[in-house]
Amino acid sequence: EITTRSGFAWCLGMKALIYEFANSNIRIVGDGSYRTADLDVEKGYFNGAKNAISKINSRFVIREWQAALLAVADIDFSAMSDCEEALGPYRLSPYGGITYSEVNGRIRLVSVAPDTVYHPDEIKSSKNVGIVFGCDLVMKDYVSLNTEVRLIDETSVSGGLAVLF
């Protein structure tokens, strides 16, 4: 068992239009991403007992590949005569869909004395299929704020800022 602090994390992803329904503001979008986090190990426990660990030599790395199929709607405020003046450059895009992800992790826990290394087999997710719901607020077609909820294979809430180019 380990306790970690914040560490370095990064993500790379892409969304692509698969199909757009005629005479509708609904699209089918594919989403793929890769995430990784290298967390700093703070405390380590061997067989339930707290041990002094080498924070320099101990590591905990998590990696995730994810693919999603999403239904996306667009609410364009500039098309609404009541909202055109105040909200004209904004567009709301709620979405939902199904995800497939593979999460794995590696632990390397090194105690200070006696010099013990705990390096189990790769950690894998127990569930790979889940659902996702979210919403993008697009401003002037190049800046987007996002909030998202994922359930079943994971329980998470996230938010983000994207610059489109």
Side-chain angles (χ1 to χ4, degrees), residues 51-120:
N51 284 44
I53 61 161
S54 169
K55 293 180 182 180
I56 295 171
N57 295 323
S58 298
R59 295 191 61 178
F60 181 39
V61 178
I62 302 169
R63 293 182 179 93
E64 176 188 21
W65 287 96
Q66 178 202 298
L69 190 60
L70 307 169
V72 181
D74 270 334
I75 302 168
D76 187 356
F77 293 114
S78 66
M80 299 177 188
S81 59
D82 297 348
C83 301
E84 185 176 5
E85 186 74 29
L87 301 174
Y90 298 98
R91 189 173 74 245
L92 193 64
S93 296
Y95 60 89
I98 189 165
T99 64
Y100 178 84
S101 65
E102 290 190 14
V103 179
N104 61 49
R106 307 267 313 154
I107 295 175
R108 183 172 196 270
L109 194 57
V110 180
S111 68
V112 175
D115 201 20
T116 305
V117 177
Y118 176 69
H119 198 331

Side-chain angles (χ1 to χ4, degrees), residues 7-19:
F8 182 73
W10 61 272
C11 174
L12 180 64
M14 187 168 102
K15 289 183 180 180
L17 176 65
I18 295 174
Y19 185 79

